[in-house]
Amino acid sequence: MITMKDIIREGHPTLRKKAEQVELPLSDKNLKTLHSMMEFLRNSQDPEKAEELELRPGVGLAAPQINVSKQIIAVRTFNDNDEPKELLLINPKLVSHSQETAYLESGEGCLSVDRPVEGIVPRYARIKVEAYNEHEEKNIFRFRGYEAIVVQHELDHLNGIMFYDRIEDYEDDLKQALPAQSV
Ligand SMILES: OCN(O)CCCc1ccccc1
Ligand code: NI
């Protein structure tokens, strides 16, 4: 069972690697990995379990965060009727995205980052993702809203990108924007 001690933190090299494609059909090992990732999310979202196991709540988890450099993502969000929606994405590929961007007003956090990092993390508002599920079926997913932001956060982990890499430094943009003679 995954607990916080299994989650690697910033500075660990695996977080900066590009994760490997997963061989299909899924090995028993990989199947166990993705089920344990979803179990972690369930436990982390259950107040009693989270307290008992001292888990930080998480809406998503990428395999590199448990030091498995493979393209496996687990996402557990809730629909408008507060029912959980569980997604296991294997070898996910971003096939298209909106021009429009979106972001969480409150910024983002990460189970692999033990500190608050302020700042807006720009994301695509809508994305189309191709991925295999645990039954080796290839699916096309369309995400928008909060789910799209979470999925992009996880996709970044598969490419060695941390959310704070994307926090724009508006001062830099301003400097570039102002004509030279006026500074
Ligand atoms: O990689 C998963 N993780 O570190 C847990 C936090 C996920 C997450 C938090 C805020 C916005 C998008 C995604
Ligand atoms: Ni993260």
PDB file of all heavy atoms in Angstrom, residues 29-57:
ATOM      1  N   LYS A  29       3.010  -6.765 -12.436  1.00  0.00           N
ATOM      2  CA  LYS A  29       3.672  -5.708 -11.646  1.00  0.00           C
ATOM      3  C   LYS A  29       3.031  -4.355 -11.968  1.00  0.00           C
ATOM      4  O   LYS A  29       2.654  -3.601 -11.074  1.00  0.00           O
ATOM      5  CB  LYS A  29       5.169  -5.700 -11.934  1.00  0.00           C
ATOM      6  CG  LYS A  29       5.995  -4.809 -11.037  1.00  0.00           C
ATOM      7  CD  LYS A  29       7.490  -5.220 -11.104  1.00  0.00           C
ATOM      8  CE  LYS A  29       8.361  -4.372 -10.213  1.00  0.00           C
ATOM      9  NZ  LYS A  29       8.583  -3.021 -10.825  1.00  0.00           N
ATOM     10  N   ASN A  30       2.885  -4.062 -13.263  1.00  0.00           N
ATOM     11  CA  ASN A  30       2.321  -2.755 -13.661  1.00  0.00           C
ATOM     12  C   ASN A  30       0.849  -2.649 -13.249  1.00  0.00           C
ATOM     13  O   ASN A  30       0.388  -1.579 -12.861  1.00  0.00           O
ATOM     14  CB  ASN A  30       2.468  -2.539 -15.170  1.00  0.00           C
ATOM     15  CG  ASN A  30       3.906  -2.174 -15.544  1.00  0.00           C
ATOM     16  OD1 ASN A  30       4.651  -1.635 -14.724  1.00  0.00           O
ATOM     17  ND2 ASN A  30       4.296  -2.490 -16.765  1.00  0.00           N
ATOM     18  N   LEU A  31       0.145  -3.766 -13.313  1.00  0.00           N
ATOM     19  CA  LEU A  31      -1.270  -3.761 -12.899  1.00  0.00           C
ATOM     20  C   LEU A  31      -1.363  -3.438 -11.399  1.00  0.00           C
ATOM     21  O   LEU A  31      -2.164  -2.605 -10.972  1.00  0.00           O
ATOM     22  CB  LEU A  31      -1.900  -5.129 -13.199  1.00  0.00           C
ATOM     23  CG  LEU A  31      -3.368  -5.159 -13.543  1.00  0.00           C
ATOM     24  CD1 LEU A  31      -3.722  -4.166 -14.647  1.00  0.00           C
ATOM     25  CD2 LEU A  31      -3.788  -6.560 -13.969  1.00  0.00           C
ATOM     26  N   LYS A  32      -0.471  -4.083 -10.635  1.00  0.00           N
ATOM     27  CA  LYS A  32      -0.448  -3.833  -9.181  1.00  0.00           C
ATOM     28  C   LYS A  32      -0.114  -2.362  -8.904  1.00  0.00           C
ATOM     29  O   LYS A  32      -0.733  -1.719  -8.060  1.00  0.00           O
ATOM     30  CB  LYS A  32       0.580  -4.734  -8.477  1.00  0.00           C
ATOM     31  CG  LYS A  32       0.117  -6.165  -8.243  1.00  0.00           C
ATOM     32  CD  LYS A  32       1.029  -6.869  -7.242  1.00  0.00           C
ATOM     33  CE  LYS A  32       0.563  -8.306  -7.022  1.00  0.00           C
ATOM     34  NZ  LYS A  32       0.656  -9.108  -8.283  1.00  0.00           N
ATOM     35  N   THR A  33       0.849  -1.828  -9.693  1.00  0.00           N
ATOM     36  CA  THR A  33       1.243  -0.426  -9.504  1.00  0.00           C
ATOM     37  C   THR A  33       0.061   0.496  -9.711  1.00  0.00           C
ATOM     38  O   THR A  33      -0.232   1.347  -8.855  1.00  0.00           O
ATOM     39  CB  THR A  33       2.366  -0.054 -10.495  1.00  0.00           C
ATOM     40  OG1 THR A  33       3.516  -0.838 -10.208  1.00  0.00           O
ATOM     41  CG2 THR A  33       2.718   1.420 -10.414  1.00  0.00           C
ATOM     42  N   LEU A  34      -0.665   0.316 -10.823  1.00  0.00           N
ATOM     43  CA  LEU A  34      -1.741   1.283 -11.082  1.00  0.00           C
ATOM     44  C   LEU A  34      -2.894   1.123 -10.108  1.00  0.00           C
ATOM     45  O   LEU A  34      -3.512   2.111  -9.683  1.00  0.00           O
ATOM     46  CB  LEU A  34      -2.191   1.285 -12.542  1.00  0.00           C
ATOM     47  CG  LEU A  34      -2.636   0.065 -13.268  1.00  0.00           C
ATOM     48  CD1 LEU A  34      -4.119  -0.112 -13.080  1.00  0.00           C
ATOM     49  CD2 LEU A  34      -2.325   0.192 -14.731  1.00  0.00           C
ATOM     50  N   HIS A  35      -3.150  -0.094  -9.659  1.00  0.00           N
ATOM     51  CA  HIS A  35      -4.215  -0.265  -8.645  1.00  0.00           C
ATOM     52  C   HIS A  35      -3.809   0.342  -7.313  1.00  0.00           C
ATOM     53  O   HIS A  35      -4.629   0.954  -6.619  1.00  0.00           O
ATOM     54  CB  HIS A  35      -4.576  -1.746  -8.488  1.00  0.00           C
ATOM     55  CG  HIS A  35      -5.363  -2.265  -9.638  1.00  0.00           C
ATOM     56  ND1 HIS A  35      -5.253  -3.551 -10.114  1.00  0.00           N
ATOM     57  CD2 HIS A  35      -6.261  -1.649 -10.461  1.00  0.00           C
ATOM     58  CE1 HIS A  35      -6.053  -3.712 -11.156  1.00  0.00           C
ATOM     59  NE2 HIS A  35      -6.670  -2.568 -11.391  1.00  0.00           N
ATOM     60  N   SER A  36      -2.505   0.225  -6.981  1.00  0.00           N
ATOM     61  CA  SER A  36      -2.055   0.806  -5.695  1.00  0.00           C
ATOM     62  C   SER A  36      -2.091   2.333  -5.762  1.00  0.00           C
ATOM     63  O   SER A  36      -2.334   3.001  -4.762  1.00  0.00           O
ATOM     64  CB  SER A  36      -0.652   0.314  -5.352  1.00  0.00           C
ATOM     65  OG  SER A  36       0.284   0.829  -6.281  1.00  0.00           O
ATOM     66  N   MET A  37      -1.894   2.884  -6.960  1.00  0.00           N
ATOM     67  CA  MET A  37      -1.963   4.348  -7.115  1.00  0.00           C
ATOM     68  C   MET A  37      -3.385   4.839  -6.877  1.00  0.00           C
ATOM     69  O   MET A  37      -3.608   5.818  -6.172  1.00  0.00           O
ATOM     70  CB  MET A  37      -1.476   4.753  -8.512  1.00  0.00           C
ATOM     71  CG  MET A  37       0.014   4.593  -8.700  1.00  0.00           C
ATOM     72  SD  MET A  37       0.546   4.710 -10.449  1.00  0.00           S
ATOM     73  CE  MET A  37       0.165   6.402 -10.791  1.00  0.00           C
ATOM     74  N   MET A  38      -4.363   4.118  -7.421  1.00  0.00           N
ATOM     75  CA  MET A  38      -5.762   4.526  -7.240  1.00  0.00           C
ATOM     76  C   MET A  38      -6.171   4.311  -5.778  1.00  0.00           C
ATOM     77  O   MET A  38      -6.866   5.147  -5.190  1.00  0.00           O
ATOM     78  CB  MET A  38      -6.690   3.761  -8.178  1.00  0.00           C
ATOM     79  CG  MET A  38      -8.121   4.296  -8.205  1.00  0.00           C
ATOM     80  SD  MET A  38      -8.231   6.064  -8.627  1.00  0.00           S
ATOM     81  CE  MET A  38      -8.020   5.954 -10.399  1.00  0.00           C
ATOM     82  N   GLU A  39      -5.684   3.247  -5.181  1.00  0.00           N
ATOM     83  CA  GLU A  39      -5.981   2.983  -3.759  1.00  0.00           C
ATOM     84  C   GLU A  39      -5.436   4.121  -2.894  1.00  0.00           C
ATOM     85  O   GLU A  39      -6.087   4.600  -1.972  1.00  0.00           O
ATOM     86  CB  GLU A  39      -5.349   1.648  -3.341  1.00  0.00           C
ATOM     87  CG  GLU A  39      -5.631   1.264  -1.897  1.00  0.00           C
ATOM     88  CD  GLU A  39      -4.634   0.224  -1.369  1.00  0.00           C
ATOM     89  OE1 GLU A  39      -3.451   0.266  -1.787  1.00  0.00           O
ATOM     90  OE2 GLU A  39      -5.048  -0.604  -0.541  1.00  0.00           O
ATOM     91  N   PHE A  40      -4.247   4.624  -3.266  1.00  0.00           N
ATOM     92  CA  PHE A  40      -3.675   5.759  -2.517  1.00  0.00           C
ATOM     93  C   PHE A  40      -4.612   6.958  -2.594  1.00  0.00           C
ATOM     94  O   PHE A  40      -4.919   7.603  -1.586  1.00  0.00           O
ATOM     95  CB  PHE A  40      -2.301   6.147  -3.053  1.00  0.00           C
ATOM     96  CG  PHE A  40      -1.795   7.445  -2.479  1.00  0.00           C
ATOM     97  CD1 PHE A  40      -1.159   7.469  -1.245  1.00  0.00           C
ATOM     98  CD2 PHE A  40      -2.002   8.647  -3.143  1.00  0.00           C
ATOM     99  CE1 PHE A  40      -0.729   8.678  -0.690  1.00  0.00           C
ATOM    100  CE2 PHE A  40      -1.583   9.868  -2.599  1.00  0.00           C
ATOM    101  CZ  PHE A  40      -0.942   9.873  -1.367  1.00  0.00           C
ATOM    102  N   LEU A  41      -5.097   7.255  -3.809  1.00  0.00           N
ATOM    103  CA  LEU A  41      -5.977   8.430  -3.969  1.00  0.00           C
ATOM    104  C   LEU A  41      -7.251   8.252  -3.146  1.00  0.00           C
ATOM    105  O   LEU A  41      -7.700   9.171  -2.460  1.00  0.00           O
ATOM    106  CB  LEU A  41      -6.304   8.662  -5.441  1.00  0.00           C
ATOM    107  CG  LEU A  41      -5.127   9.046  -6.341  1.00  0.00           C
ATOM    108  CD1 LEU A  41      -5.609   9.265  -7.772  1.00  0.00           C
ATOM    109  CD2 LEU A  41      -4.402  10.285  -5.833  1.00  0.00           C
ATOM    110  N   ARG A  42      -7.828   7.036  -3.179  1.00  0.00           N
ATOM    111  CA  ARG A  42      -9.045   6.789  -2.390  1.00  0.00           C
ATOM    112  C   ARG A  42      -8.764   7.024  -0.905  1.00  0.00           C
ATOM    113  O   ARG A  42      -9.469   7.776  -0.233  1.00  0.00           O
ATOM    114  CB  ARG A  42      -9.532   5.345  -2.579  1.00  0.00           C
ATOM    115  CG  ARG A  42     -10.105   5.054  -3.937  1.00  0.00           C
ATOM    116  CD  ARG A  42     -10.658   3.622  -4.024  1.00  0.00           C
ATOM    117  NE  ARG A  42     -10.845   3.234  -5.421  1.00  0.00           N
ATOM    118  CZ  ARG A  42     -10.339   2.119  -5.967  1.00  0.00           C
ATOM    119  NH1 ARG A  42      -9.627   1.272  -5.237  1.00  0.00           N
ATOM    120  NH2 ARG A  42     -10.532   1.835  -7.249  1.00  0.00           N
ATOM    121  N   ASN A  43      -7.677   6.407  -0.422  1.00  0.00           N
ATOM    122  CA  ASN A  43      -7.338   6.545   1.007  1.00  0.00           C
ATOM    123  C   ASN A  43      -7.096   8.017   1.367  1.00  0.00           C
ATOM    124  O   ASN A  43      -7.539   8.501   2.400  1.00  0.00           O
ATOM    125  CB  ASN A  43      -6.084   5.732   1.341  1.00  0.00           C
ATOM    126  CG  ASN A  43      -6.349   4.237   1.331  1.00  0.00           C
ATOM    127  OD1 ASN A  43      -7.505   3.805   1.418  1.00  0.00           O
ATOM    128  ND2 ASN A  43      -5.288   3.456   1.207  1.00  0.00           N
ATOM    129  N   SER A  44      -6.393   8.706   0.440  1.00  0.00           N
ATOM    130  CA  SER A  44      -6.029  10.108   0.743  1.00  0.00           C
ATOM    131  C   SER A  44      -7.251  11.014   0.771  1.00  0.00           C
ATOM    132  O   SER A  44      -7.230  12.094   1.366  1.00  0.00           O
ATOM    133  CB  SER A  44      -5.038  10.628  -0.302  1.00  0.00           C
ATOM    134  OG  SER A  44      -5.705  11.031  -1.494  1.00  0.00           O
ATOM    135  N   GLN A  45      -8.357  10.562   0.132  1.00  0.00           N
ATOM    136  CA  GLN A  45      -9.577  11.378   0.084  1.00  0.00           C
ATOM    137  C   GLN A  45     -10.589  10.933   1.137  1.00  0.00           C
ATOM    138  O   GLN A  45     -11.676  11.491   1.229  1.00  0.00           O
ATOM    139  CB  GLN A  45     -10.204  11.300  -1.320  1.00  0.00           C
ATOM    140  CG  GLN A  45      -9.341  11.968  -2.387  1.00  0.00           C
ATOM    141  CD  GLN A  45      -9.856  11.729  -3.790  1.00  0.00           C
ATOM    142  OE1 GLN A  45     -10.925  11.162  -4.005  1.00  0.00           O
ATOM    143  NE2 GLN A  45      -9.073  12.140  -4.800  1.00  0.00           N
ATOM    144  N   ASP A  46     -10.191   9.913   1.938  1.00  0.00           N
ATOM    145  CA  ASP A  46     -11.088   9.417   3.005  1.00  0.00           C
ATOM    146  C   ASP A  46     -10.561   9.980   4.328  1.00  0.00           C
ATOM    147  O   ASP A  46      -9.458   9.607   4.766  1.00  0.00           O
ATOM    148  CB  ASP A  46     -11.040   7.890   2.999  1.00  0.00           C
ATOM    149  CG  ASP A  46     -11.803   7.289   4.162  1.00  0.00           C
ATOM    150  OD1 ASP A  46     -11.727   7.840   5.283  1.00  0.00           O
ATOM    151  OD2 ASP A  46     -12.465   6.264   3.953  1.00  0.00           O
ATOM    152  N   PRO A  47     -11.326  10.882   4.958  1.00  0.00           N
ATOM    153  CA  PRO A  47     -10.805  11.558   6.162  1.00  0.00           C
ATOM    154  C   PRO A  47     -10.224  10.616   7.214  1.00  0.00           C
ATOM    155  O   PRO A  47      -9.125  10.858   7.727  1.00  0.00           O
ATOM    156  CB  PRO A  47     -12.033  12.312   6.691  1.00  0.00           C
ATOM    157  CG  PRO A  47     -12.926  12.504   5.504  1.00  0.00           C
ATOM    158  CD  PRO A  47     -12.696  11.321   4.621  1.00  0.00           C
ATOM    159  N   GLU A  48     -10.951   9.522   7.511  1.00  0.00           N
ATOM    160  CA  GLU A  48     -10.434   8.598   8.544  1.00  0.00           C
ATOM    161  C   GLU A  48      -9.116   7.974   8.085  1.00  0.00           C
ATOM    162  O   GLU A  48      -8.099   8.027   8.789  1.00  0.00           O
ATOM    163  CB  GLU A  48     -11.427   7.471   8.835  1.00  0.00           C
ATOM    164  CG  GLU A  48     -12.655   7.886   9.652  1.00  0.00           C
ATOM    165  CD  GLU A  48     -13.661   8.617   8.785  1.00  0.00           C
ATOM    166  OE1 GLU A  48     -13.917   8.143   7.667  1.00  0.00           O
ATOM    167  OE2 GLU A  48     -14.127   9.687   9.219  1.00  0.00           O
ATOM    168  N   LYS A  49      -9.131   7.410   6.870  1.00  0.00           N
ATOM    169  CA  LYS A  49      -7.930   6.708   6.359  1.00  0.00           C
ATOM    170  C   LYS A  49      -6.757   7.682   6.254  1.00  0.00           C
ATOM    171  O   LYS A  49      -5.633   7.369   6.607  1.00  0.00           O
ATOM    172  CB  LYS A  49      -8.238   6.117   4.977  1.00  0.00           C
ATOM    173  CG  LYS A  49      -9.007   4.829   5.015  1.00  0.00           C
ATOM    174  CD  LYS A  49      -8.027   3.677   4.882  1.00  0.00           C
ATOM    175  CE  LYS A  49      -8.603   2.274   5.000  1.00  0.00           C
ATOM    176  NZ  LYS A  49      -9.906   2.009   4.566  1.00  0.00           N
ATOM    177  N   ALA A  50      -7.067   8.913   5.753  1.00  0.00           N
ATOM    178  CA  ALA A  50      -5.996   9.899   5.545  1.00  0.00           C
ATOM    179  C   ALA A  50      -5.341  10.240   6.882  1.00  0.00           C
ATOM    180  O   ALA A  50      -4.118  10.332   6.985  1.00  0.00           O
ATOM    181  CB  ALA A  50      -6.577  11.154   4.901  1.00  0.00           C
ATOM    182  N   GLU A  51      -6.200  10.337   7.932  1.00  0.00           N
ATOM    183  CA  GLU A  51      -5.636  10.661   9.250  1.00  0.00           C
ATOM    184  C   GLU A  51      -4.832   9.480   9.775  1.00  0.00           C
ATOM    185  O   GLU A  51      -3.685   9.597  10.190  1.00  0.00           O
ATOM    186  CB  GLU A  51      -6.768  11.027  10.213  1.00  0.00           C
ATOM    187  CG  GLU A  51      -6.241  11.665  11.496  1.00  0.00           C
ATOM    188  CD  GLU A  51      -7.301  11.767  12.576  1.00  0.00           C
ATOM    189  OE1 GLU A  51      -8.500  11.680  12.231  1.00  0.00           O
ATOM    190  OE2 GLU A  51      -6.924  11.910  13.736  1.00  0.00           O
ATOM    191  N   GLU A  52      -5.431   8.302   9.667  1.00  0.00           N
ATOM    192  CA  GLU A  52      -4.784   7.077  10.192  1.00  0.00           C
ATOM    193  C   GLU A  52      -3.433   6.838   9.510  1.00  0.00           C
ATOM    194  O   GLU A  52      -2.437   6.558  10.149  1.00  0.00           O
ATOM    195  CB  GLU A  52      -5.730   5.907   9.915  1.00  0.00           C
ATOM    196  CG  GLU A  52      -5.249   4.537  10.324  1.00  0.00           C
ATOM    197  CD  GLU A  52      -6.049   3.438   9.582  1.00  0.00           C
ATOM    198  OE1 GLU A  52      -7.222   3.725   9.215  1.00  0.00           O
ATOM    199  OE2 GLU A  52      -5.491   2.350   9.355  1.00  0.00           O
ATOM    200  N   LEU A  53      -3.412   7.044   8.183  1.00  0.00           N
ATOM    201  CA  LEU A  53      -2.191   6.744   7.420  1.00  0.00           C
ATOM    202  C   LEU A  53      -1.316   7.975   7.202  1.00  0.00           C
ATOM    203  O   LEU A  53      -0.277   7.900   6.552  1.00  0.00           O
ATOM    204  CB  LEU A  53      -2.588   6.134   6.070  1.00  0.00           C
ATOM    205  CG  LEU A  53      -3.348   4.794   6.150  1.00  0.00           C
ATOM    206  CD1 LEU A  53      -3.989   4.451   4.811  1.00  0.00           C
ATOM    207  CD2 LEU A  53      -2.411   3.671   6.593  1.00  0.00           C
ATOM    208  N   GLU A  54      -1.782   9.127   7.759  1.00  0.00           N
ATOM    209  CA  GLU A  54      -1.056  10.406   7.619  1.00  0.00           C
ATOM    210  C   GLU A  54      -0.780  10.728   6.154  1.00  0.00           C
ATOM    211  O   GLU A  54       0.358  10.967   5.742  1.00  0.00           O
ATOM    212  CB  GLU A  54       0.256  10.342   8.416  1.00  0.00           C
ATOM    213  CG  GLU A  54       0.032  10.222   9.914  1.00  0.00           C
ATOM    214  CD  GLU A  54       1.351  10.188  10.696  1.00  0.00           C
ATOM    215  OE1 GLU A  54       2.336   9.644  10.162  1.00  0.00           O
ATOM    216  OE2 GLU A  54       1.379  10.737  11.822  1.00  0.00           O
ATOM    217  N   LEU A  55      -1.853  10.700   5.366  1.00  0.00           N
ATOM    218  CA  LEU A  55      -1.734  10.984   3.934  1.00  0.00           C
ATOM    219  C   LEU A  55      -2.147  12.415   3.616  1.00  0.00           C
ATOM    220  O   LEU A  55      -3.124  12.912   4.177  1.00  0.00           O
ATOM    221  CB  LEU A  55      -2.639  10.039   3.121  1.00  0.00           C
ATOM    222  CG  LEU A  55      -2.478   8.530   3.351  1.00  0.00           C
ATOM    223  CD1 LEU A  55      -3.462   7.775   2.462  1.00  0.00           C
ATOM    224  CD2 LEU A  55      -1.043   8.085   3.106  1.00  0.00           C
ATOM    225  N   ARG A  56      -1.435  13.069   2.694  1.00  0.00           N
ATOM    226  CA  ARG A  56      -1.897  14.353   2.150  1.00  0.00           C
ATOM    227  C   ARG A  56      -2.957  14.020   1.103  1.00  0.00           C
ATOM    228  O   ARG A  56      -2.772  13.073   0.324  1.00  0.00           O
ATOM    229  CB  ARG A  56      -0.739  15.083   1.457  1.00  0.00           C
ATOM    230  CG  ARG A  56       0.010  16.079   2.311  1.00  0.00           C
ATOM    231  CD  ARG A  56       1.097  16.793   1.519  1.00  0.00           C
ATOM    232  NE  ARG A  56       0.539  17.693   0.485  1.00  0.00           N
ATOM    233  CZ  ARG A  56       1.299  18.351  -0.413  1.00  0.00           C
ATOM    234  NH1 ARG A  56       2.619  18.166  -0.430  1.00  0.00           N
ATOM    235  NH2 ARG A  56       0.743  19.143  -1.302  1.00  0.00           N
ATOM    236  N   PRO A  57      -4.079  14.738   1.104  1.00  0.00           N
ATOM    237  CA  PRO A  57      -5.099  14.426   0.091  1.00  0.00           C
ATOM    238  C   PRO A  57      -4.571  14.707  -1.318  1.00  0.00           C
ATOM    239  O   PRO A  57      -3.880  15.702  -1.538  1.00  0.00           O
ATOM    240  CB  PRO A  57      -6.262  15.370   0.432  1.00  0.00           C
ATOM    241  CG  PRO A  57      -5.719  16.375   1.360  1.00  0.00           C
ATOM    242  CD  PRO A  57      -4.463  15.849   1.971  1.00  0.00           C
TER     243      PRO A  57
END
